[in-house]
Amino acid sequence: MFIELLERVGSRIEKQDTFWRKSLSPVLRLAITLCYLVTGDSYKTLSYGFRVAHNTISLIIPKTCKAITAEYLKDVLACRTMPEQWKEHIAVTCPPNGGSHHYDYKGFHSIVLLALVDTDYKFLNVDVGTNVCSSDTGIFSTTALREALEINTLGLPEPVPLHGDDTPVSFSVIGDDAFALRSDSQ
């Protein structure tokens, strides 16, 4: 898989050698990025393992992620343009030894994605892979996001008035009717 990924994105992340320095190879750039994505290690920790300065790693990882996204965008996230395409289901194969854990009530294998997005459609929090037998509320109740909301450690701003009003309004997380209506005091 590493070699296949390298073949697809290698030319996008390759840099030219200069008179002053030899560039880091696409192999090393990809390895650093994948290690970061898998382990979540800090740039400092990765710098010791790969013998690359942490400030260089801070440039490599975002650029490599953008290259991967650009390379796979049309394959993985192709936007649907026809009504028939929107009706298609994505077939998920049963994970090895998955049994019925990922078998849903519609007769398909599926994986639950619970996400929080902002008003610009940017993902702020994602929980993926929970057993499909759980309800949305049950899944949410086990997330770090729910805990942070309950103990007020997200750092949400204080309530502010909406445009054209003087009554302060709290910042809110909005979900569908599967989620109970609660205030921050509950």
Side-chain angles (χ1 to χ4, degrees):
M1 291 297 294
F2 181 86
I3 293 170
E4 179 183 323
L5 184 56
L6 181 62
E7 287 173 353
R8 294 213 36 194
V9 301
S11 62
R12 292 177 182 263
I13 60 175
E14 186 172 18
K15 301 293 181 189
Q16 298 296 317
D17 291 340
T18 67
F19 178 75
W20 303 106
R21 64 167 174 76
K22 185 170 172 57
S23 65
L24 299 176
S25 72
V27 172
L28 183 58
R29 291 171 176 277
L30 183 59
I32 289 170
T33 302
L34 293 178
C35 189
Y36 172 76
L37 293 173
V38 169
T39 65
D41 283 344
S42 69
Y43 294 165
K44 286 265 191 197
T45 302
L46 292 170
S47 71
Y48 295 116
F50 288 97
R51 296 180 177 256
V52 175
H54 67 89
N55 57 335
T56 302
I57 290 175
S58 73
L59 300 173
I60 289 172
I61 291 173
K63 287 180 182 177
T64 305
C65 286
K66 285 180 184 175
I68 293 169
T69 302
E71 179 63 31
Y72 283 91
L73 186 63
K74 289 183 181 171
D75 295 345
V76 179
L77 298 173
C79 185
R80 296 160 190 259
T81 57
M82 304 296 292
E84 300 81 32
Q85 293 173 318
W86 286 102
K87 295 177 183 176
E88 294 174 0
H89 292 280
I90 298 171
V92 175
T93 58
C94 181
N97 302 316
S100 62
H101 289 289
H102 296 281
Y103 196 71
D104 66 23
Y105 68 95
K106 293 181 180 178
F108 295 96
H109 290 282
S110 60
I111 297 172
V112 176
L113 165 69
L114 185 67
L116 177 67
V117 296
D118 67 10
T119 57
D120 294 319
Y121 310 108
K122 293 180 183 169
F123 285 89
L124 302 175
N125 187 281
V126 175
D127 185 86
V128 166
T130 304
N131 188 328
V132 295
C133 296
S134 301
S135 66
D136 290 345
T137 307
I139 294 167
F140 181 68
S141 70
T142 64
T143 64
L145 175 62
R146 185 221 27 99
E147 183 178 343
L149 282 167
E150 285 189 0
I151 62 175
N152 199 21
T153 58
L154 282 180
L156 293 176
E158 291 296 318
V160 295
L162 296 175
H163 183 69
D165 197 353
D166 60 352
T167 306
V169 177
S170 297
F171 285 77
S172 301
V173 174
I174 301 172
D176 65 16
D177 59 356
F179 300 96
L181 182 60
R182 296 174 49 127
S183 68
D184 56 357
S185 62
Q186 292 178 319

